[in-house]
Amino acid sequence: MNVSGRPFRTIWPSADGAAIEIIDQTRLPHAFVIARLATLNDAAEAIRAMLVRGAPLIGATAAWGLWLALRADASNAALDHAHATLLATRPTAVNLRWALDRVRAELVALAPAARADAARRMAMEICDEDVALNRGLAAAGLPLIQAIAARKKSGERVNVLTHCNAGWLATVDVGTATAPLYAAHAAGIPLHVWVDETRPRNQGASLTAWELLNQGVSHTVIVDNAGGHLMQHDQVDLVIVGTDRTAANGDVCNKIGTYLKALAAHDNGVPFYVAVPSPSIDWSLQDGRKIPIEERSAAEVSHLTGRRSDGTVTTVALTPEGSPVANPAFDVTPARLVTGLITERGVTEASAAGLRRLFPEHRVG
Ligand code: MRU
């Protein structure tokens, strides 16, 4: 997507061929900084410290991390170590395990001397595939927005609420929840996006707003608690969110606060859709109860970082020193609250039968 009119992906091989480059998302929206990852530890740290984040981009970065590791040592032991190191970085997004297992399964069959080149090719393949999957989500989700637009008076905008950042910054390009939005915008549908700020790390306020601004999509940032009120007053036609892991029965794990949006949408008869590329489906889980929920640092809740009027970026304390803080980063929205899942193979009901119909090749459990 465009940054100041110039097209970017979120991750790419460096021009000198010796490293990977990423957009450092911890610096957005106040600075656009490109970071270089040259080693396994660079890649693991970039995921852990959330320079890259969002389930699909975490998976893609991990695949590149295997390449970085194998360039230095392509033995079985080094491959296992790199796989374990990357897998331990963040627990919730299943795309991480999906990407690591996929690359490792192919590499173990190869002689060590052939592994680094194969890992590079596979990492590139995962990146290109992610973009194609997201284009599939755009094609599947666009008719939902078109149908709402068709019921409106001419020129009246379609209001979509989204939570966290499931945009191009969370993927290699295009985004998941944003894919239908960008498609609707490109099709000339009058669109307005309510952007939940998404405490504590504010991925909505910092990242989704920055993305939409760069693409020229009309949007308004709201505090996380405003969504229910807007729904009660007919200000939201549709909710679309992303997912870090969706169980085989359609239970959806996503950024903390998603569940409350789903409850409010249910209470107000607002359709609640989840954009789910297939690598985000965990076929080994029959429901969402066993999805590991990442507990992140207390400082994300007790402190806030922002830009001062003189341009410097600073961090301030919000809570009284000594008040305990809890920071679960994700929650699970039960399938019964989800109107539908937008996948690259089409839209389906959030249920085991619905997912099985679209993905008959997968076995559950
Ligand atoms: O903690 P993050 O920023 O990695 O969490 C991201 C989200 O929860 C997104 O909504 C989810 O990954 C879907 S990304 C396409």
Side-chain angles (χ1 to χ4, degrees):
M1 303 295 282
N2 288 339
V3 180
S4 309
R6 216 181 120 197
F8 274 90
R9 281 186 172 189
T10 53
I11 189 163
W12 61 92
S14 62
D16 62 11
I20 291 307
E21 291 181 340
I22 56 163
I23 300 168
D24 180 351
Q25 300 191 22
T26 64
R27 305 292 303 276
L28 289 172
H30 306 304
F32 183 75
V33 175
I34 291 171
R36 191 175 161 93
L37 313 178
T39 65
L40 165 66
N41 284 343
D42 288 350
E45 197 45 37
I47 299 172
R48 199 176 295 117
M50 294 178 67
L51 279 71
V52 288
R53 26 69 50 203
L57 180 56
I58 290 170
T61 309
W64 282 114
L66 287 181
W67 170 61
L68 294 173
L70 294 177
R71 284 186 323 171
D73 180 352
S75 64
N76 285 347
L79 177 56
D80 286 348
H81 169 72
H83 184 285
T85 303
L86 290 159
L87 190 61
T89 51
R90 294 197 68 192
T92 302
V94 73
N95 308 57
L96 177 61
R97 188 185 74 201
W98 169 85
L100 288 169
D101 286 355
R102 170 168 159 172
V103 178
R104 182 171 65 176
E106 196 166 310
L107 295 183
V108 286
L110 301 177
R115 286 178 180 169
D117 282 353
R120 188 184 191 288
R121 177 184 47 74
M122 290 187 74
M124 205 59 234
E125 210 172 86
I126 283 174
C127 287
D128 291 342
E129 211 176 277
D130 177 66
V131 180
L133 289 173
N134 297 337
R135 295 215 167 103
L137 300 180
L142 176 61
L144 300 172
I145 300 174
Q146 284 170 323
I148 294 169
R151 295 198 297 269
K152 299 236 170 201
K153 291 194 207 93
S154 158
E156 211 184 326
R157 64 192 193 174
V158 177
N159 283 297
V160 182
L161 184 143
T162 192
H163 191 67
C164 193
N165 174 264
W168 74 271
L169 290 170
T171 66
V172 176
D173 206 351
V174 182
T176 60
T178 55
L181 305 183
Y182 289 136
H185 179 66
I189 295 174
L191 183 74
H192 171 260
V193 184
W194 295 111
V195 178
D196 282 352
E197 63 173 349
T198 318
R199 278 284 287 152
R201 286 187 70 98
N202 295 314
Q203 289 96 327
S206 303
L207 304 178
T208 306
W210 181 82
E211 271 195 25
L212 295 173
L213 199 62
N214 267 284
Q215 310 312 317
V217 178
S218 162
H219 63 282
T220 306
V221 180
I222 52 174
V223 297
D224 293 323
N225 292 328
H229 166 77
L230 293 172
M231 291 181 207
Q232 285 176 324
H233 292 269
D234 298 328
Q235 301 283 304
V236 182
D237 296 301
L238 175 69
V239 179
I240 308 182
V241 299
T243 180
D244 296 85
R245 190 186 297 229
T246 288
N249 71 337
D251 286 351
V252 169
C253 183
N254 193 47
K255 182 54 56 189
I256 193 79
T258 302
Y259 170 51
L260 292 178
K261 291 295 150 356
L263 283 173
H266 188 70
D267 192 44
N268 290 282
V270 174
F272 183 96
Y273 282 89
V274 183
V276 191
S278 54
S280 299
I281 303 171
D282 188 342
W283 299 102
S284 75
L285 292 182
Q286 288 184 358
D287 60 54
R289 282 175 302 182
K290 292 217 175 89
I291 296 177
I293 302 295
E294 180 177 10
E295 178 76 29
R296 292 192 59 86
S297 117
E300 291 182 352
V301 177
S302 60
H303 289 69
L304 203 58
T305 299
R307 191 174 61 183
R308 303 158 70 112
S309 48
D310 67 2
T312 56
V313 172
T314 191
T315 299
V316 295
L318 286 178
T319 55
E321 235 177 275
S323 281
V325 160
N327 188 12
F330 299 94
D331 59 27
V332 176
T333 298
R336 68 186 158 78
L337 297 177
V338 177
T339 311
L341 304 175
I342 303 168
T343 80
E344 70 271 17
R345 294 191 188 169
V347 178
T348 185
E349 75 199 38
S351 69
L355 281 171
R356 226 182 8 249
R357 189 174 52 78
L358 286 187
F359 300 94
E361 72 276 25
H362 286 284
R363 292 172 67 86
V364 177

